[in-house]
Amino acid sequence: MATDGGSYDFVNDVSSPATGGCHSQQRSAGHNWEMNYQEAAIYLQEGENNDKFFTHPKNAKALAAYLFVHNHPFYLMELTTALLLLLLSLCEAPAVPILRLGIYVHATLELFALVVVVFELSMKMRWMGFYTYIRHKRTMVKTCVLLVQFIEAIVVLVRQTSHVRITRALRCIFLVDCRYCGAVRRNLRQIFQSLPPFIDILLLLLFFMVIFAILVCICLLFQYFNTLENSLVNLFVLLTTSNFPDVMMPSYSRNPWSCVFFIVYLSIELYFIMNLLLAVVFDTFNDIEKRKFKSLLLHKRTAIQHAYRLLISKQSLSGISFKQFEGLMRFYKPRMCAKERYLTFKALNQSTTPLVSLKDFYNFYEVVGLQWKAKRNREHWFDDLPQTAFLIFKDTVVAVNGMWILIQTFMLQGGKHMVLFLTFYGVELLLKTTGLGPIEYLSSGWNLFDFSVTLFAFLGLLVLAFNMEPFYFIVVLRPLQLLRLFKLKKRYRNVLDTMFELFPRMASLGLTLLIFYYSFAIVGMEFFSGAVYPNCCNTSTVADSYRWVNRTVGNKTVVEEGYYYLNNFDNVLNSFVTLFELTVVNDWYIIMEGVTSQTSHWSRLYFMIFYIVTMVVMTIIVAFILEAFVFRMNYTRKNRDSEEDNGIVLEKEISKEEIAGVIELYRCNCDASETVQLQKVMAQMDKYGQTSMLFLGRRSRTKSDLSMKMYEEEIQVGNVDVQTSSEVPDS
Amino acid sequence: MATDGGSYDFVNDVSSPATGGCHSQQRSAGHNWEMNYQEAAIYLQEGENNDKFFTHPKNAKALAAYLFVHNHPFYLMELTTALLLLLLSLCEAPAVPILRLGIYVHATLELFALVVVVFELSMKMRWMGFYTYIRHKRTMVKTCVLLVQFIEAIVVLVRQTSHVRITRALRCIFLVDCRYCGAVRRNLRQIFQSLPPFIDILLLLLFFMVIFAILVCICLLFQYFNTLENSLVNLFVLLTTSNFPDVMMPSYSRNPWSCVFFIVYLSIELYFIMNLLLAVVFDTFNDIEKRKFKSLLLHKRTAIQHAYRLLISKQSLSGISFKQFEGLMRFYKPRMCAKERYLTFKALNQSTTPLVSLKDFYNFYEVVGLQWKAKRNREHWFDDLPQTAFLIFKDTVVAVNGMWILIQTFMLQGGKHMVLFLTFYGVELLLKTTGLGPIEYLSSGWNLFDFSVTLFAFLGLLVLAFNMEPFYFIVVLRPLQLLRLFKLKKRYRNVLDTMFELFPRMASLGLTLLIFYYSFAIVGMEFFSGAVYPNCCNTSTVADSYRWVNRTVGNKTVVEEGYYYLNNFDNVLNSFVTLFELTVVNDWYIIMEGVTSQTSHWSRLYFMIFYIVTMVVMTIIVAFILEAFVFRMNYTRKNRDSEEDNGIVLEKEISKEEIAGVIELYRCNCDASETVQLQKVMAQMDKYGQTSMLFLGRRSRTKSDLSMKMYEEEIQVGNVDVQTSSEVPDS
């Protein structure tokens, strides 16, 4: 859900000289109406952003604070402060060498950032009021963390030395609370909601692990399983398959049948219970997704009801007239021109009367996003061309080009002949861009893809032509053009379409993972910074991996390196790389054992907890991809006939009289500046002697549209009750 | 689907002295009816077993062959021959040392087994007829493999030496073709049906791999990526994360930013495309499952239609009378007694007339499996006890016992106090067994679980009491009793219920995997037998893992072992263990590189193909567990009100007159021996002075019942058409 917080930038400008006189005139006539319009617009925005209604501004002072807090500059400030706080860990000891700052400097920076956060929070309190403020959980947690950080920063400044500051791990909350990180918040909520079933199955997993540990400890008594603790640790690592078959080999060499133990253990734990884990999370995830969609729908409807009541309250009409609607839109979407407003109104109005009823008004969010354009008989000049022939020609070119690249790549030749193909793609790109206009052209994932591939190819050619050595890697990316080939097959189109749709959500999931990384990196740095170094772990079982020996064999110097000492927690960047290696879980026990041998065996807890946390997040990611893909495929299967998905398209006709009426309305309101577009339309109609004109409203299909269609049967929207809106989740 | 092939054992005994006279009498009256009954029963069996109708026996000779082929002794013969052929690989060179047989011996054994297969196939041809036989694909493939095996076995006998016999890998087909391995066949079909989308995504995966390989080969030029082949191999291994972070470390130590390459590669390939693979397979799997259910339903309906037509053909009635039904059941389920037959007939008959219409007859398969019992007012004496109080008491005992075990296990004490709890469980077990009868008691998964846990605990106590050292491991299994604790929570009950339901299918999937293992083991043995041995690979990069050095340090002899030479293909058992290690994919490249360094670099193909095959099967297993679990959870959610799942229960009342009528019918047919049960019921009714008696039919809910309920809306059963039955898949 995009935050259209920009709507209020203009509200503040209402008293500017240009339009001020007109407004004040109109205000004197209907000042109360203006207040209603504004409040209705706020309700609609709250519905769109999934803000709880109990934080709705209750008086003029609160409204001012609300307007101050809800706009992009403020959001940007929130974001930069949060990022500054997070990035400080690059400069605080243990710092990245080239970014090291004095304690005085970074502590001052931190205090500055924290003061900004205090300012932000006080503005929020002004808007919500004290009582609502302490009821709002997320804000309260933020306040507590802020307090702790403040005290610690002052302590650092006073003592002039950094103490063990694990609480820095909590800095993430400032980022999570940003308005722009709504998706991350949603992910975190979904993760926490999936936790109870996850933990249940995890207990089952651990239970079997303990049983096997006892069994192996008593019965086998091999090298790696001599104590219960060792058995447990090794079985835990075995679950991630990192030490398999290494732990098995000693016992296997003594008794070949001991492999049965390992096979049974891995079959039960890895291939059964781990999959069960995925199944449980996937199931919970699906269920939450459905319930979330339902409650979001309810929340939006409640917002629309609130707005509707405000719009009809003054005169008890049976619906909203265009005048009221126009007033609302002035606050809700100030950048919209009069033509678009009238078309939106017409699109909402399903009845024959000039009033929009509540039932029609329910479609507000679906209709308001439409982009309106006059319908021409031929939309683009190239619509006339024989489409299929052109497409087949294009596909052939793509295929031939693909073969060409494949051959060339394997012969590692330069590609001067590419110019031919590139010209073709360039011409296609130019034609499409001029036809559709650059913005519409780039709004489609496929066009964006075509564009970037062509651009890369072009750059590659330039690099080749001018022999620019350092950019040679662009030439190497040439095979990416082969991706065009994948467009030819329907399944790939589906997969790639899903990928385009998934991308924003994947990015937010990645960000969520990074936030976990950050917390773990801070904790890791506080505890394990400087723990591992070359030849550090010569007494442990993983000594080889940490070795760094400068041996002389004959007359040559051979360096024997284990390299694992590079996987340390010496600064944030190193920690992130180490954590990524832990995420991939291959040989992670080497890192764990290295650190453990240098610190205490409680360090293992850190690594195990990290493994479980990443397992949760990864399972969620898998569940999410599964859900999105299966959803998409089911949708395609349900709508096999309407194969080409052109998004939502709506057609509306406006007559000359209507336009004249709207212009008249604006003229009376002294808003003549907004009717420029309408007057142009009038002029055009006069020119061609038309009495009416057709307009097309378009927008791309969102997940919400798809969900609506898929859950049609399950969600009895008709039975929606206002009272149930209290269940709406927090954004 | 259980094969009830036993139905014809008795048909052959029809002319036995005991009942022969009667039958011949009846036969003279309605011999043609008997033929109809038999054919109808065959149709119903074909419907149940999902046999194609074009293999339906067409004449008396074919019928005799059909009856010969479709019974348990024949199935067992099929199975033993197949197993014998498979197990021969234990004795053929390279053989397991203690099982080695002379070439003359094992070649003769093989020829013998092959002759038996020839006999089986000729019987089948007699049943199907030549034309149908060559149309039946599976049988044709089997014939071809048989021919090749025959020729090879003779060649071995003549040359007195084993040549490279890769075709032995095809021996699995004999096992797959067994009647008892229907589930494995279904799995294989599902795997092959999931292949096209799987391969599509695999290509995408390989495509990115090639691009990254070229990129890394040109730009990085590090140790592991010096040639395109090395790059490709290392990136393939990296995809399985087996050599991560090892391949990264050298470049990481030179330039820290090179880790970006690996992070991007793993993020795209491992975390995105691999999950996409799972998603695509899961989606295809689900779709196939739904379509399969629909076509199976259609097939059964067609079978019922065929049977119905045969049963009403003689007299053109509007339905099946009990006399006809009884005749059918004599062939379809000869072991059923008259009482059960009549109750089944009554359960089928929804109309007021004494005839079963086609619509009612459609429920045949659902009703025929019911177990009938007279309904008592109180079903078991313990139904009278205050249920909830008793359950709470039991749960408390289980919980206390759980705590007790937990404490004891961690203190590793003996458990003499266990006697108390064991007595409680023993008494509960005894009461339940006497109340329900041993067979009904053990038919529930939970009871079976309770029983085995109690048995183990009892054995453990005995072992402890008599100090039997070798069986000490039973004591260790005591914590398994803790599993009882899991019964207390609903989610675990659900999970474990799903597990019980999954078990047969999981077993068949495991068997499918073993069949793949077998084929790969044979190929591996033919190519790599004897390839690796201690210190074999000193020139390769994985030399350490194959080292076996006897060093003297000071005055102690230290053996440095890498152990990996144990992972060889020297005999079938070793090959299986090696393949399992390859399946777990940790460090599998060490095995691959070891073998490759001793043979040619084409050997890598074997390992990579094996990886992809296991990936397919594992993905299917994951998809299957996911599907089953999500299905179950959705089902539970849909039927939240009817929480306790007691299976299918049907109630039918029979009056005294009806029983008298049935007895009369049998008396006239001289089948008085079958009415013993009915006469008992009569006597009982006389004793208590009842005029009618209630019977309860019970069976456990099968997947098919669940599917029927879940897909209700999607499967419009009413529109089923006979013509569409040709689409039914082969069993």
Side-chain angles (χ1 to χ4, degrees), chain A residues 196-197 199-201 203-204 207-208 210-211 214-215 218-219 223 228 240-246 248-250 252-254 256-257 259 262-263 266-267 270-272 275-276 278-280 282-284 286-287 409-410 412 472-473 476-477 479-483 486 489 491-492 495-496 499 502 506 544 561-567 573-574 577-578 580-581 583-587 591 618 621-622 625-626 629-630 633-634 637 640 713, chain B residues 196-197 199-201 203-204 207-208 210-211 214-215 218-219 223 228 240-246 248-250 252-254 256-257 259 262-263 266-267 270-272 275-276 278-280 282-284 286-287 409-410 412 472-473 476-477 479-483 486 489 491-492 495-496 499 502 506 544 561-567 573-574 577-578 580-581 583-587 591 618 621-622 625-626 629-630 633-634 637 640 713:
Chain A
I199 287 173
D200 283 342
I201 308 292
L203 282 180
L204 199 67
F207 171 74
F208 275 106
V210 170
I211 287 189
I214 294 171
L215 197 66
I218 291 179
C219 298
Q223 195 174 333
L228 193 60
T240 69
T241 72
S242 291
N243 55 359
F244 187 81
D246 297 349
M248 185 182 89
M249 295 324 279
Y252 185 55
S253 77
R254 244 165 294 171
W257 293 107
C259 67
F262 293 93
I263 292 174
L266 283 174
S267 305
L270 186 65
Y271 294 121
F272 189 74
N275 288 338
L276 212 59
L278 176 65
V280 170
F282 176 62
D283 179 65
T284 317
N286 259 342
D287 197 41
T409 308
F410 281 109
L412 289 174
Y472 216 74
F473 72 95
V476 177
L477 289 177
L480 272 180
Q481 289 185 54
L482 282 175
L483 273 176
F486 287 105
K489 190 161 176 182
R491 193 187 319 278
Y492 290 118
V495 166
L496 291 169
M499 228 162 83
L502 283 181
M506 288 297 286
D544 277 349
E561 274 203 84
Y563 291 115
Y564 270 77
Y565 58 86
L566 290 167
N567 302 322
L573 295 182
N574 279 6
V577 174
T578 311
F580 181 77
E581 284 169 34
T583 308
V584 181
V585 299
N586 195 61
D587 288 350
I591 301 173
M618 286 298 165
I621 290 182
V622 176
I625 294 182
L626 265 178
F629 194 82
V630 171
M633 292 305 287
N634 279 336
R637 231 172 262 136
R640 209 165 265 171
E713 297 137 25
Chain B
I199 288 172
D200 283 341
I201 307 292
L203 283 180
L204 198 68
F207 171 74
F208 276 105
V210 170
I211 287 189
I214 294 169
L215 196 67
I218 292 178
C219 297
Q223 193 174 333
L228 194 60
T240 68
T241 71
S242 291
N243 55 358
F244 187 79
D246 297 349
M248 183 181 91
M249 292 328 277
Y252 184 53
S253 76
R254 245 165 294 173
W257 293 107
C259 69
F262 293 93
I263 291 174
L266 283 174
S267 302
L270 186 65
Y271 294 120
F272 190 74
N275 288 337
L276 212 58
L278 177 64
V280 171
F282 177 62
D283 181 64
T284 317
N286 260 341
D287 197 41
T409 308
F410 282 108
L412 288 174
Y472 216 75
F473 73 94
V476 177
L477 288 176
L480 272 180
Q481 290 186 52
L482 281 175
L483 273 176
F486 288 106
K489 192 165 175 182
R491 191 185 324 276
Y492 290 119
V495 166
L496 291 167
M499 228 163 87
L502 284 180
M506 287 298 287
D544 277 348
E561 278 203 80
Y563 292 115
Y564 269 77
Y565 57 86
L566 289 168
N567 301 322
L573 296 183
N574 279 5
V577 175
T578 310
F580 181 76
E581 284 170 33
T583 308
V584 182
V585 298
N586 194 63
D587 286 350
I591 301 173
M618 285 300 166
I621 289 183
V622 177
I625 293 182
L626 265 179
F629 194 81
V630 171
M633 292 306 285
N634 278 337
R637 233 173 261 134
R640 210 166 265 170
E713 298 137 24

Side-chain angles (χ1 to χ4, degrees), chain A residues 38-97:
Chain A
Q38 183 161 32
E39 197 171 354
I42 289 177
Y43 268 121
L44 287 178
Q45 257 186 328
E46 282 170 338
E48 195 182 351
N49 298 337
N50 197 16
D51 285 328
K52 279 182 181 165
F53 293 121
F54 78 80
T55 62
H56 188 78
K58 284 173 188 67
N59 50 46
K61 216 175 73 181
L63 182 64
Y66 178 89
L67 295 177
F68 182 81
V69 167
H70 286 83
N71 62 59
H72 287 292
F74 187 82
Y75 298 157
L76 274 176
M77 185 175 70
E78 263 189 340
L79 187 67
T80 31
T81 338
L83 283 179
L84 176 64
L85 274 170
L86 289 183
L87 291 177
L88 270 182
S89 57
L90 284 169
C91 319
E92 290 165 338
V96 177

